[in-house]
Amino acid sequence: MTSIFQRYADGEPTELRIQMPQRVLATTVSHYPIDVLVGHWEKYLVDPSSARDRFPWAARFVMGMPVPTWARGLEWDIGQKSRFISAVWLGGDLGSYLTNDWYEPVISSRALAVNSEILVDGQQRLHSLEEYLLDRLAIPDAQGQPRIWSELGNGVRKRFLSTIFTHVRVSSSDEVALRRTYDLCALGVVPRSFDQRAIR
């Protein structure tokens, strides 16, 4: 083992059979402001029953997106939610949320096939946003005074909504691959506990 870094080997390694792990599903990454996510959610809020008709198999909806039954529940406590919203205000790294673009209509029904358009990862962060925007979560202002969304003026709201929140997408009907991707997410470094995994 050498302590000198080389970006590429001088010659091809003799062991060409070494294969490193590959991503489970190909991803597409988009850098959108939170405002885009909120626009999607507003459409859901106009007619939530329509979403339930399209995704009758969903465990719940977060920011208007169906969550599969194999995803963990809503587990963040008030402190975790508050820290995430504070990170938005402070310009911290929000990570990303992951959805599945794939959809397939069920014949003779308004419903889409299971796992269509699901929120694969990011449920806790998106739920924190939802709670904050619905005035269920107060965040300290610059003077430390707890403030809810409806107290804020449009200027500061616009600053919040213009914050980039990276949207990662996959497109797959393969539930096993989606579950594996879900298990790998966990912010990339913290593995989900056994009881939180989709594949056991």
Side-chain angles (χ1 to χ4, degrees), residues 139-169:
I139 301 300
D141 65 12
Q143 287 72 45
Q145 181 71 32
R147 299 291 184 185
I148 57 175
W149 181 255
S150 63
E151 295 179 296
L152 307 179
N154 286 336
V156 288
R157 289 186 191 198
K158 186 174 182 179
R159 179 165 65 87
F160 184 90
L161 295 171
S162 67
T163 304
I164 299 298
F165 193 3
T166 302
H167 181 189
V168 181
R169 298 185 315 274

Side-chain angles (χ1 to χ4, degrees), residues 41 45 129-137 148-150:
W41 180 50
L45 291 174
L129 277 173
E130 190 175 290
E131 293 283 282
Y132 181 54
L133 297 172
L134 291 172
D135 287 349
R136 297 175 184 157
L137 187 63
I148 57 175
W149 181 255
S150 63

Side-chain angles (χ1 to χ4, degrees), residues 47-169:
D47 186 12
S49 62
S50 177
R52 285 190 290 276
D53 290 345
R54 292 181 69 213
F55 311 103
W57 40 263
R60 70 193 140 279
F61 292 85
V62 175
M63 291 296 287
M65 297 180 204
V67 176
T69 55
W70 40 264
R72 70 177 175 158
L74 296 169
E75 299 189 6
W76 274 12
D77 62 29
I78 191 101
Q80 291 167 302
K81 292 175 188 177
S82 297
R83 283 192 295 277
F84 176 73
I85 299 301
S86 294
V88 178
W89 282 114
L90 295 168
D93 180 13
L94 306 184
S96 62
Y97 63 98
L98 173 66
T99 61
N100 184 26
D101 277 352
W102 176 84
Y103 69 93
E104 182 175 309
V106 175
I107 308 257
S108 302
S109 172
R110 291 193 61 211
L112 296 180
V114 174
N115 297 321
S116 296
E117 300 183 9
I118 56 171
L119 176 61
V120 178
D121 185 59
Q123 177 184 194
Q124 311 304 323
R125 283 164 285 166
L126 268 61
H127 185 253
S128 300
L129 277 173
E130 190 175 290
E131 293 283 282
Y132 181 54
L133 297 172
L134 291 172
D135 287 349
R136 297 175 184 157
L137 187 63
I139 301 300
D141 65 12
Q143 287 72 45
Q145 181 71 32
R147 299 291 184 185
I148 57 175
W149 181 255
S150 63
E151 295 179 296
L152 307 179
N154 286 336
V156 288
R157 289 186 191 198
K158 186 174 182 179
R159 179 165 65 87
F160 184 90
L161 295 171
S162 67
T163 304
I164 299 298
F165 193 3
T166 302
H167 181 189
V168 181
R169 298 185 315 274

Side-chain angles (χ1 to χ4, degrees), residues 5-50:
F5 171 74
Q6 288 184 291
R7 183 179 301 220
Y8 297 108
D10 292 332
E12 280 297 319
T14 54
E15 185 53 74
L16 295 176
R17 293 183 310 240
I18 296 174
Q19 295 291 319
M20 297 304 292
Q22 295 184 25
R23 65 180 65 188
V24 179
L25 294 171
T27 57
T28 302
V29 179
S30 301
H31 303 286
Y32 293 129
I34 291 173
D35 197 44
V36 170
L37 182 60
V38 168
H40 174 83
W41 180 50
E42 285 173 323
K43 290 176 187 171
Y44 165 81
L45 291 174
V46 169
D47 186 12
S49 62
S50 177

